[in-house]
C-alpha cells in the first residue's frame, strides 16, 4: 500500500502557518508521502511574491490538534450525502512539534479538514511502520506478545527471516516457553530494535531525493578507515588493516575493515570478539603522533559472575603495550553499574588478567536519565511564562549542562592519558556504541588539529560515529516531544523507550569547544546545527540505518546521496566556515568549571532572557524557512 492511499486530505486552501519569531504565511497546504508543502499566493497577505515552504514529515516528532466549535460538528452520514452548512464556521489548529525542536502551528478552516490533515500527517509520519506491521504481527501473536506492547514500540516492520535476528527470536521463544516473562519481554524488545527494518529505511525520502547538482557516487567513495590507516602506516609498523569482519560475521556493528595490532592473528581476533559484547573486540580509534600512544575502543568483556577469562583478549590488549608500560581502561559506567553488569553476563577487565592496565570509572549517564534531562531542558526553553529565577532553577534541575561537563571531563581524561601521561587508553562502557564513541571522538577533537578542520571533522564523524556503529536510526527515531508524551501514556509495567541523545551531547560539547577556542575550529556553529537536523531527518543517506551492515543490505550508498557531497560544494561549504579560524597545532584543553559551560542557544531554542536564533533559508530536511523560496533539492 502506498502512503498516498492513506492520506485522507491532500490539499487545503487558506491555511495560516505561524512560528514564534517569524512572520505568518497564508496559502495552500499540500501533503505528499514525504513532505508538507505550503504555497502562498503572490502578493497575498502581505507577501511580496509567491513563497513555497517545505517540511520533511519525518522531522515531525509530535502532532497536536485543537478544534473550535466542537458542538457544531456533524459526523459523516452513512449514506455518503454531504454534510449541512453547520460545519462551515468551524476551524482547527494543528501544532507540529519537530525533532529539531522547532514548533509550528497550522490554522486550518473547517474542522473536518483539520482532523483529516492531522490524521494524514500522522499516517505519513508512521506510514512505514504501519504498512510493514503485517509482516511481523503474526509472529508476535504466535509468541503471545500483547498488541498493546507492540504499539508502544517506535520501530519499523520486523521480518523474522532476517539473518541477524533468527537467534534472538529463538531466545525469545525459549523465554516465553519457560514463562520468564520479563526476560521474554526484554528479548522481544531486542529483536524489534535490531530489526528496524530494511523495508522501512528504503521507503524514506533519501531514496527518492535526486538533486541536480550531485551524482549518486559523489561523497560515498570515501574510505575513512583505510585513509586513517594510511596516515598511521607512514609513522609506525605496529598496526595493520584487518578484513576479518569483511562479511560482518565477527561483529555486525563494525565496518568491514578495522585497525588492529600487527602481531595479532585473525583467529585471535575472532576468539576475542566472542568475549566482548556485540563482538566489539578492541580496535584502534586514534594514533597520537606526538608520542606514539594509541586510543582503542571496544564493548565490555563478558566475564560474567564466574569471572570468565579469554587468553586471546588478554593477548590482544597485551600486544598494545611494551614491557613495563602501563595503560588505562576508561569505563564510562560507575563501579556499581559495572559490578551489576557482571551478574548479568557482562563485567570489567580483572586486574589479575590485565596487570598492565589500570581501570578508571568515569560514569556518563545514558538511556532514560539522559533522555529525561533533555526533555526537561526543552520544556524549560519552551515555557515563556518563567521568570529569570524559575528559569535558572529549571535549567539547573534538568542537569543537561552537568552531562556536558561530565562528557568533556572524561574526554579530557582520555586526552591527558595519551598526551601527558604518554599511556595508551582503552575506552568502553557496555555496548560500546554510545558513550564510548562520545569519549573517543571528543578526545580526538581536543588532541588533533586535523579533526578541527571542516574536512577532518566530517571524516571523524564518518569514522567514529557512522562506521563505528552508532545506531542513528534507532536513537533518532524520536526526539523530546514524542518521548514526553510516551512517558505520560506508557502503561505502568512498560517503560517508555528511552533513546540516548549521545550524538546531540557530542555536538553540544563541540560547540562548547568552539566557544572557548573561537579561533581553533575551522567550522562554525551552523555546521553543528545542520548535523543535528540531518541526524533526525535528512534528504541524504549519511545517517540512515544503525551500522554498516544494514547500510549494505539497504544499498544506501548505491541509492542515496551523501550529505558530505552536498556540504563540500563550494557554495555550501562557505556557509559553514568560521571566519575567525586560525590553525592551531596545539592541544586545546577546555575548562569544565561551572561558569565555563553555557547553554547552547542554537540547539535549545528561545528561553526567557535569551535571544531567538535567526532563521535562514534551509533545505527540506529542516523546518519551514521564513522568507525565501526553497524547494527540495
Amino acid at each position: 500500500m502506498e502512503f498516498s492511499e492513506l492520506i485522507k486530505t491532500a490539499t487545503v486552501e487558506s491555511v495560516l502557518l505561524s512560528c514564534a519569531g517569524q512572520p505568518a504565511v497564508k496559502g495552500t497546504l499540500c501533503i505528499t508521502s514525504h513532505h508538507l508543502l505550503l504555497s502562498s499566493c503572490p502578493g497575498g497577505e502581505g507577501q511580496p511574491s509567491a513563497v513555497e515552504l517545505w517540511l520533511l514529515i519525518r522531522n515531525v516528532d509530535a502532532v497536536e490538534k485543537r478544534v473550535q466549535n466542537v458542538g457544531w460538528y456533524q459526523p459523516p452520514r452513512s449514506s455518503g450525502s454531504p454534510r449541512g452548512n453547520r460545519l462551515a464556521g468551524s476551524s482547527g489548529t494543528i501544532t507540529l512539534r519537530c525533532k529539531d525542536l522547532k514548533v509550528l502551528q497550522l490554522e486550518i478552516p473547517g474542522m473536518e479538514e483539520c482532523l483529516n490533515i492531522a490524521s494524514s500527517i500522522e499516517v505519513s509520519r508512521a506510514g512505514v511502520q504501519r504498512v510493514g506491521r503485517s509482516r511481523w504481527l503474526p509472529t508476535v501473536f504466535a509468541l503471545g506478545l500483547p498488541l498493546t506492547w507492540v504499539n508502544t514500540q517506535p520501530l519499523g516492520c520486523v521480518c523474522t527471516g532476517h539473518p541477524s535476528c533468527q537467534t534472538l527470536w529463538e531466545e525469545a521463544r525459549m523465554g516465553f516457553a519457560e514463562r520468564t516473562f520479563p526476560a521474554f519481554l526484554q528479548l522481544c524488545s531486542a529483536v524489534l530494535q535490531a530489526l528496524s527494518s530494511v523495508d522501512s529505511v528504503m521507503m524514506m525520502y533519501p531514496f527518492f531525493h535526486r538533486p541536480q547538482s550531485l551524482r549518486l557516487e559523489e561523497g560515498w567513495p570515501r574510505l575513512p578507515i583505510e585513509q586513517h590507516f594510511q596516515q598511521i602506516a607512514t609513522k609506525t609498523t605496529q598496526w595493520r588493516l584487518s578484513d576479518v569482519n569483511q562479511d560482518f560475521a565477527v561483529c555486525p556493528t563494525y565496518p568491514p575493515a578495522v585497525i588492529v595490532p600487527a602481531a595479532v592473528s585473525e583467529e585471535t581476533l575472532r576468539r576475542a570478539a566472542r568475549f566482548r559484547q556485540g563482538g566489539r573486540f578492541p580496535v584502534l580509534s586514534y594514533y597520537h603522533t606526538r608520542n606514539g600512544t594509541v586510543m582503542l575502543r571496544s564493548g565490555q568483556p563478558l566475564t560474567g559472575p564466574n569471572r570468565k577469562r579469554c587468553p586471546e583478549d588478554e593477548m590482544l590488549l597485551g600486544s598494545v603495550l611494551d614491557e613495563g608500560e602501563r595503560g588505562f581502561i576508561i569505563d564510562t559506567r560507575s563501579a556499581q553499574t559495572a559490578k551489576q553488569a557482571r551478574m548479568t553476563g557482562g563485567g570489567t577487565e580483572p586486574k589479575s588478567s590485565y596487570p598492565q592496565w589500570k581501570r578508571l570509572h568515569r560514569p556518563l549517564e545514558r538511556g532514560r536519565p539522559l533522555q529525561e534531562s533533555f526533555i526537561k531542558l526543552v520544556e524549560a526553553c519552551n515555557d515563556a511564562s518563567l521568570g529569570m529565577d524559575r528559569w535558572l532553577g529549571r535549567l539547573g534541575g534538568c542537569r543537561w549542562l552537568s552531562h556536558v561537563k561530565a562528557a568533556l571531563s572524561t574526554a579530557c581524561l582520555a586526552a591527558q592519558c595519551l598526551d601527558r601521561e604518554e599511556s595508551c587508553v582503552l575506552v568502553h562502557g557496555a555496548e560500546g556504541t554510545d558513550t564510548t564513541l562520545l569519549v573517543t571522538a571528543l578526545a580526538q577533537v581536543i588532541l588533533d588539529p586535523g579533526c578541527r578542520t571542516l574536512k577532518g571533522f566530517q571524516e571523524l564523524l564518518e569514522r567514529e560515529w557512522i562506521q563505528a556503529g552508532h545506531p542513528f536510526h534507532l536513537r533518532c527515531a524520536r526526539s523530546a516531544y514524542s518521548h514526553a508524551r510516551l512517558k505520560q501514556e506508557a502503561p505502568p509495567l512498560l517503560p517508555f523507550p528511552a533513546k540516548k541523545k549521545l550524538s546531540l551531547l557530542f555536538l553540544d560539547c563541540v560547540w562548547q569547544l568552539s566557544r572557548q577556542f573561537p579561533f581553533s575550529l575551522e567550522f562554525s556553529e551552523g555546521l553543528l546545527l545542520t548535523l543535528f537536523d540531518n541526524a533526525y531527518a535528512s534528504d541524504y543517506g549519511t545517517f540512515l540505518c544503525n551500522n554498516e551492515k544494514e547500510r549494505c543490505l539497504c544499498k544506501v550508498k548505491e541509492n542515496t546521496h551523501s550529505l558530505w557531497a552536498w556540504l563540500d560544494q563550494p557554495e555550501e561549504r562557505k556557509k559553514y566556515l568560521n571566519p575567525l579560524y586560525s590553525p592551531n597545532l596545539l592541544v586545546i584543553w577546555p575548562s569544565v568549571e561551572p561558569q565555563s559551560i553555557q547553554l547552547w542557544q542554537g540547539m535549545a531554542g528561545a528561553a526567557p532572557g535569551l535571544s531567538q536564533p535567526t532563521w535562514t533559508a534551509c533545505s527540506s530536511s529542516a523546518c519551514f524557512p521564513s522568507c525565501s523560496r526553497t524547494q527540495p533539492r
Side-chain angles (χ1 to χ4, degrees), residues 56-112:
L56 196 62
I57 292 179
R58 180 170 164 78
N59 195 16
V60 177
D61 195 36
V63 180
E64 301 172 2
K65 50 185 178 290
R66 179 170 54 88
V67 294
Q68 291 81 33
N69 300 334
V70 177
W72 290 92
Y73 176 68
Q74 279 187 319
R77 298 175 182 174
S78 58
S79 62
S81 58
R83 295 181 173 85
N85 295 328
R86 288 183 295 170
L87 195 60
S90 62
S91 63
T93 300
I94 297 176
T95 301
L96 303 178
R97 300 186 180 275
C98 300
K99 293 179 181 178
D100 58 9
L101 307 184
K102 297 182 178 70
V103 180
L104 309 174
Q105 280 194 343
L106 298 171
E107 295 182 20
I108 300 175
M111 185 185 311
E112 179 185 4

Side-chain angles (χ1 to χ4, degrees), residues 308-319 350 353-354 357:
K308 291 187 297 184
R309 295 181 59 179
C310 177
E312 290 79 9
D313 188 79
E314 296 169 13
M315 186 180 78
L316 195 162
L317 287 180
S319 66
S353 304
Y354 303 84
W357 293 88

Side-chain angles (χ1 to χ4, degrees), residues 20 100-103 374 377-383 391 395 481 504 508 525 529 532 599-615:
D100 58 9
L101 307 184
K102 297 182 178 70
V103 180
F374 180 57
L377 173 65
V378 174
E379 290 175 345
C381 291
N382 287 337
D383 192 345
W391 152 247
L395 178 62
Y481 298 117
L504 173 57
D508 198 331
E525 178 188 16
L529 293 173
F532 170 52
L599 178 65
W600 181 15
Q601 294 178 226
M603 178 273 294
L610 300 179
S611 60
Q612 178 77 263
T614 302
W615 283 23

Side-chain angles (χ1 to χ4, degrees), residues 211 213-227 455 458-463 466-467 540-543 548 551 556-569:
S213 59
L214 295 178
R215 297 191 304 271
L216 278 175
E217 62 271 15
E218 289 186 74
W220 291 120
R222 298 183 182 207
L223 301 173
I225 303 298
E226 287 81 348
Q227 290 179 353
K455 180 181 178 181
Q458 292 176 9
E459 293 176 348
L460 174 70
L461 289 173
E462 184 73 31
R463 186 178 68 247
I466 299 172
Q467 293 213 359
Y540 306 94
T542 301
F543 295 108
E548 204 60 18
R551 293 184 192 97
V556 170
K557 296 182 180 180
E558 291 83 357
N559 296 296
T560 71
H561 288 280
S562 168
L563 175 64
W564 311 134
W566 176 260
L567 295 180
D568 286 344
Q569 294 180 119

Side-chain angles (χ1 to χ4, degrees), residues 394-429:
R394 291 275 292 272
L395 178 62
C398 76
R399 299 192 67 249
W400 179 260
L401 296 183
S402 298
H403 299 315
V404 174
K405 177 181 182 297
L408 284 172
S409 298
T410 307
C412 285
L413 173 64
Q416 182 178 353
C417 291
L418 292 167
D419 189 69
R420 295 181 176 177
E421 299 294 327
E422 297 189 350
S423 300
C424 296
V425 174
L426 169 65
V427 183
H428 72 70

Side-chain angles (χ1 to χ4, degrees), residues 468-540:
H470 180 68
F472 280 99
H473 187 66
L474 180 61
R475 299 289 185 258
C476 298
R478 299 181 186 272
S479 187
Y481 298 117
S482 61
H483 271 299
R485 294 179 63 183
L486 283 172
K487 182 181 177 182
Q488 296 170 358
E489 300 169 2
L493 295 178
L494 300 176
F496 76 100
K499 305 298 181 188
K500 306 158 189 171
K501 301 299 175 186
L502 273 302
S503 57
L504 173 57
L505 186 60
F506 169 71
L507 295 177
D508 198 331
C509 291
V510 174
W511 179 83
Q512 303 289 340
L513 292 174
S514 69
R515 192 190 61 80
Q516 294 189 26
F517 301 92
F519 304 103
S520 298
L521 276 67
E522 186 184 22
F523 50 89
S524 65
E525 178 188 16
L527 177 68
L528 302 179
L529 293 173
T530 297
L531 293 172
F532 170 52
D533 292 343
N534 280 270
Y536 281 102
S538 179
D539 297 342
Y540 306 94

